[in-house]
Amino acid sequence: MVNPTPAPAVLSRFPVADLDLAVETRCPDGSPTLLFAHGFGQTRGAWNGAATALAAAGCRCVTFDSRGHGESDRVPGGADPHGGYHMDQFADDLQRLAAAQPEPPILVGASMGGLLGIVIAGEVRPAPFRALVLVDITPRWETAGVERILAFMQAHPDGFADYAEASEQIAAYLPQRRERKSEEQLRPLLREGADGRLRWHWDPALLAGDLVQESERYQPLLQAAAAKIDVPVLLLSGARSDVVSRATVDEFLQLVPHARHVELSHATHMVAGDANDAFTREVVRFVQSLDPSADRRRAGAVQP
């Protein structure tokens, strides 16, 4: 898997049930296909470093903004809990994207993206993913870590006066990062309002409805789905994470005994951003370990 000069990322719009998603593809002729699903409040940009490196290694890399995030469409009237954002919508979007790929993709899912992957891989047959890479997420998580993330997302409803102020707040939230984000790096993460202030890219309605409460209620479903996963699984966790703990990892490995677990010593919950080189290296090792003949046997077993 070597492609020293991969083609630039290609941005496109992908229609799902009720809106369009922003999708970026790197190394379009590469193989295998890696489909990256970001966490709640993130964008496809969270994967830029990993996707660029893996595309250079010869993989076809597909990243996207989830509904209500980044450059993807927002749900009209999304603040209405009865017609707004729901976990089933995110899962359906991911399934549609997976089905549109030229081959069953390897899903690389962080946080919310990983939870969606667990549900789909466990409940849908045949599984639409060739394998799963779960990034610092397990079916049960530490509530305090999630509350810290939500507190940051809710902390600045009036936005920021300029990019420097936003950069300062991110630095306070991510003290383990040595370099502050530049204005160029922040532009995809912020939108300028009619009042001239900069606000985060996500739809505020994501925090106003029942979506967060739904995720807590999903835990029994996630645990049951995990026990039915029959594709190869790699769990990458951050040793300094406050979302995943030794207890939640051990519980997951009991549910999915064939899963492989690697802990990255210097990473928090933001694994790919904190330790991109180590993260990418482990993904490459996992991809190279997959047995194509096993994929063919699994596909043959589900043929009518």
Side-chain angles (χ1 to χ4, degrees):
M1 296 194 304
V2 177
N3 184 13
T5 55
V10 177
L11 180 63
S12 62
R13 306 293 295 182
F14 182 84
V16 289
D18 53 346
L19 47 77
D20 287 354
L21 304 178
V23 178
E24 217 165 22
T25 303
R26 292 173 173 83
C27 192
D29 297 325
S31 183
T33 295
L34 275 62
L35 176 59
F36 294 81
H38 64 71
F40 189 62
Q42 292 185 312
T43 70
R44 66 184 190 276
W47 301 115
N48 281 349
T52 299
L54 289 161
C59 297
R60 181 175 183 272
C61 295
V62 180
T63 62
F64 69 100
D65 292 337
S66 293
R67 60 174 54 218
H69 294 71
E71 295 181 87
S72 288
D73 291 342
R74 298 181 175 187
V75 174
D80 176 5
H82 302 291
Y85 294 94
H86 299 282
M87 292 298 290
D88 289 346
Q89 296 171 320
F90 289 90
D92 183 67
D93 293 347
L94 185 54
Q95 278 187 256
R96 290 172 185 264
L97 264 173
Q101 305 311 312
E103 60 184 352
I106 299 166
L107 179 73
V108 184
S111 202
M112 178 184 73
L115 295 179
L116 298 171
I118 290 171
V119 169
I120 295 169
E123 297 293 337
V124 177
R125 291 294 180 271
F129 310 124
R130 178 185 173 190
L132 291 179
V133 178
L134 302 176
V135 186
D136 207 66
I137 195 62
T138 50
R140 188 171 61 84
W141 51 87
E142 300 297 339
T143 302
V146 173
E147 288 178 345
R148 180 183 62 84
I149 295 170
L150 295 176
F152 174 76
M153 294 180 66
Q154 296 167 334
H156 305 283
D158 294 328
F160 308 101
D162 52 32
Y163 290 102
E165 184 184 353
S167 179
E168 184 175 331
Q169 293 301 320
I170 293 177
Y173 176 64
L174 301 173
Q176 74 277 11
R177 302 282 177 86
R178 295 181 179 179
E179 296 182 3
R180 293 197 174 194
K181 286 190 177 292
S182 66
E183 179 174 332
E184 182 180 359
Q185 292 171 314
L186 284 171
R187 284 188 181 279
L189 303 179
L190 294 160
R191 293 186 176 193
E192 185 174 350
D195 59 359
R197 293 185 65 81
L198 301 171
R199 291 176 176 81
W200 296 119
H201 62 84
W202 58 73
D203 187 348
L206 285 163
L207 299 168
D210 289 341
L211 182 63
V212 175
Q213 290 75 18
E214 277 186 20
S215 68
E216 292 284 345
R217 295 195 294 268
Y218 253 57
Q219 289 193 4
L221 171 63
L222 286 161
Q223 291 173 310
K228 294 184 282 188
I229 293 174
D230 63 355
V231 298
V233 179
L234 171 64
L235 170 61
L236 293 173
S237 65
R240 298 165 60 191
S241 173
D242 58 358
V243 174
V244 165
S245 66
R246 186 71 254 179
T248 68
V249 169
D250 287 345
E251 182 180 75
F252 175 75
L253 294 177
Q254 290 180 351
L255 291 169
V256 192
H258 67 275
R260 177 187 170 204
H261 172 231
V262 176
E263 184 179 81
L264 301 182
S265 59
H266 299 295
T268 67
H269 182 58
M270 313 294 282
V271 173
D274 289 345
N276 187 67
D277 289 348
F279 169 79
T280 303
R281 184 165 56 249
E282 293 298 336
V283 174
V284 168
R285 286 174 179 168
F286 179 65
V287 170
Q288 291 176 335
S289 74
L290 297 177
D291 180 4
S293 64
D295 293 338
R296 289 193 293 270
R297 289 194 299 271
R298 187 179 297 111
V302 300
Q303 294 300 319

